[in-house]
Amino acid sequence: MTIPHVFVTMADILNLECDAWLLPTDSFLTIRRHWLGAHEDLQHLAAASCGDDFHTGRLFAQAVKDWDQTSPLPVLTAVPNNMAWGPQVVAERLEAFVKAAKDSLREPSSQRPFPLLAMPFFGTAGGGAGRHLGAVVRDILNCASDLSERYSVDIVLVLQDRAAFSLAQKLRREAQAAGSGWTPLDPQLQAKALTLGGKAKAGHLVPFLGAGVSVSAGAPTWGQLLERLRDGIDLKDASNVDFDRLGPLDQASVLEQMYVDQHGSRAAFEKAVATVVDLPRYGLAPALLATLPSAGAITLNYDRLFEMACADAQRPRTVLPENVPSVGGEWLLKLHGSVSKPDTIVLTRDDYLGFNSSRAALSALVKAHLLTHHLLFVGFGLADDHFHEIVHDVRRALPSHDPQRQQMGTVLSLFDEPHQRLVWSGKLDILPMTGSFPTWTTSSERDAAIQEAGRDMEIFLDMTAAYAADEHSYLLAPAYTQGLSPDEIELRRYLLALARLQQTPATAEVWGVISKTLTNLGFDPDAFYTDRAGNEN
């Protein structure tokens, strides 16, 4: 049985592909500047959507009317006018949001098993909860879990505060230990997610992204890309070409030549490819992968979704080979080119044949990481000839029978495909999200099966990200005390007492280390004070 789920990630709601999202406001329809980026006329649309019930506080949530159905639906949700805050305030307003969203999404824009509703750190940017951040994290998580189950919706808590994110992940790990965590996943997948999370936490995991990562945001599969490229040319000159009998690389080569013949240059073909795959919003998978602590990442995708998600997760990456990486910085290797430079895109057979001569250094970087790290392949069909060549070269460089050598990576596969496990036995751990490859009689059944398996993969990544989180900045961050356990509160008091100690020249070097540790734990000297009641904040 499919069970609703609550996700947590670091992202920007305006850049996240979802069905509906919570737009914080008040009964006077005050909307902060950031949210106005959702639509140039958002303020006017909001005013036209709300009546007296919303303005007088009898109605807490109202979906924006006459909204573009191709974009996620904003649902105006009011904070209390008196700025009073507590669990009941959170519960009644978040339920109003979920109910309004569910009522307005009679036909969700996606084919997900459940509608995906996104909510920010509600009420903490002027809504009255700013002094109680730790308690609000707990309240929102508890409430979201209840609402997700009662209304049959998936909910993603979208954060931009690192302390809130680290606390939320700690609370979810505690819930998992108590038996109420990632219940939609079977025990074997949960164990694998925990293991991979540990590898990421230790800095040993490198994500390797394929086209499936971008599908939830509306990106085309390889076949769909080739079909859409046909729309840009007159196919009468190809009436004698049986595309179905050609492989994907040869189909792309034929289309490229037709673009050259009809438009006068390859640039038209490159531009057409970029137009199809350049999307404005990323899905859950890139957002979750972006939170993993990894110095490097590799992708075969042309789109910019993952780098956009990384920037929103406050982990920006230098894109290679377009830019020169900084020492110690995080990077993303776009092995097959990028829409930002269409002439770098690798798509046709000639592109693949010329890859070794033009990008040997890039392949070498991938091989080095296969040798020294554990790669996590996501959205990857494992049919790419270039990938087979890389793995083959790495295997030849390793001892043929080394019992100490672990598999080079883990592949998250939508379905169980025994033949793939045979091909990659001893090289890669193939981890299917569901059982045997299903049979279907209609395209809608096929799409539904793929969507459900893709959602299971998102839940797996959500758990992996939770166990990879290695920050504890909530511990000393202001206003997070109410989210701590008694033991953590005691530890916090000792650490804050340590922060008050007088520094001397003789201890300056040691204090450099201590100060860095205190900062990593969330200590902010400018916000550190003791109120009149003597409570440390």
Side-chain angles (χ1 to χ4, degrees), residues 112-192:
R112 298 177 62 90
F114 301 108
L116 178 63
L117 310 184
M119 59 175 66
F121 201 7
F122 181 59
T124 59
R131 294 288 301 277
H132 314 286
L133 301 179
V136 175
V137 171
R138 286 183 180 272
D139 292 342
I140 289 179
L141 283 176
N142 292 337
C143 185
S145 179
D146 173 62
L147 293 172
S148 176
E149 183 177 350
R150 285 201 287 124
Y151 286 89
S152 295
V153 295
D154 284 340
I155 294 175
V156 53
L157 175 58
V158 182
L159 301 169
Q160 293 190 304
D161 181 278
R162 301 208 67 84
F165 178 74
S166 59
L167 176 58
Q169 299 294 42
K170 187 210 73 157
L171 295 175
R172 300 169 83 212
R173 293 192 297 268
E174 290 177 350
Q176 173 69 8
S180 60
W182 286 267
T183 52
L185 295 179
D186 67 42
Q188 181 184 8
L189 287 176
Q190 291 184 26
K192 290 284 189 179

Side-chain angles (χ1 to χ4, degrees), residues 27-46:
S27 60
F28 305 106
L29 292 182
T30 304
I31 300 177
R32 288 182 171 258
R33 181 181 297 274
H34 174 75
W35 304 117
L36 296 176
H39 193 283
E40 60 183 7
D41 205 21
L42 179 58
Q43 192 74 63
H44 174 75
L45 290 172

Side-chain angles (χ1 to χ4, degrees), residues 208-217 283-286 289 301 305-306 378-380:
F208 196 129
L209 284 60
V213 170
S214 302
V215 168
S216 63
L284 264 183
L289 286 164
N301 298 344
L305 300 182
F306 183 63
V378 187
F380 208 88

Side-chain angles (χ1 to χ4, degrees), residues 289-305:
L289 286 164
T291 67
L292 293 178
S294 169
I298 306 165
T299 183
L300 300 184
N301 298 344
Y302 317 131
D303 61 61
R304 290 179 280 204
L305 300 182

